[in-house]
Amino acid sequence: EYRGEFKDGVKSGQGVYYYANGDSYLGEWANDVRHGKGTYCFAKCKSLYSGDWENGSLKNGFWKLADGTSQVRKAPKLKNDGKGIACCTASPG
């Protein structure tokens, strides 16, 4: 479910998207994809990625892990099937 701004019928500007698996993304959108500054919260592993997105892909930013520690890293390539991003088995490094 998406709540936010639209332009020409697609997600554009600020918004939040709630995925079927419980994950959420809050931030900037352009042409119906995550683009700009934003935070993706992973429900299952209780961690988040906050930083830069480009054309729907994670770029640079930081991970905040379930134990409260943070890691500044270049984002890994993660699979997005439209239901959320599978990260809990992926290492942020």
Side-chain angles (χ1 to χ4, degrees):
E1 174 186 359
Y2 176 74
R3 295 182 187 169
E5 299 172 331
F6 288 89
K7 181 178 179 182
D8 298 326
V10 297
K11 294 184 280 292
S12 192
Q14 291 290 320
V16 61
Y17 191 93
Y18 300 98
Y19 294 88
N21 68 352
D23 291 358
S24 62
Y25 171 80
L26 172 65
E28 297 174 332
W29 295 82
N31 298 316
D32 223 28
V33 297
R34 296 178 298 264
H35 189 84
K37 298 285 184 191
T39 300
Y40 192 103
C41 298
F42 301 91
K44 184 176 179 181
C45 53
K46 298 181 177 35
S47 61
L48 62 84
Y49 171 82
S50 187
D52 300 314
W53 298 78
E54 187 176 299
N55 297 318
S57 296
L58 302 165
K59 289 298 175 192
N60 295 303
F62 71 91
W63 288 92
K64 184 170 183 182
L65 307 176
D67 65 6
T69 61
S70 294
Q71 299 177 1
V72 177
R73 302 275 178 133
K74 182 175 180 181
K77 297 265 185 199
L78 300 174
K79 183 179 179 185
N80 182 357
D81 63 5
K83 298 177 184 169
I85 296 177
C87 90
C88 297
T89 57
S91 168

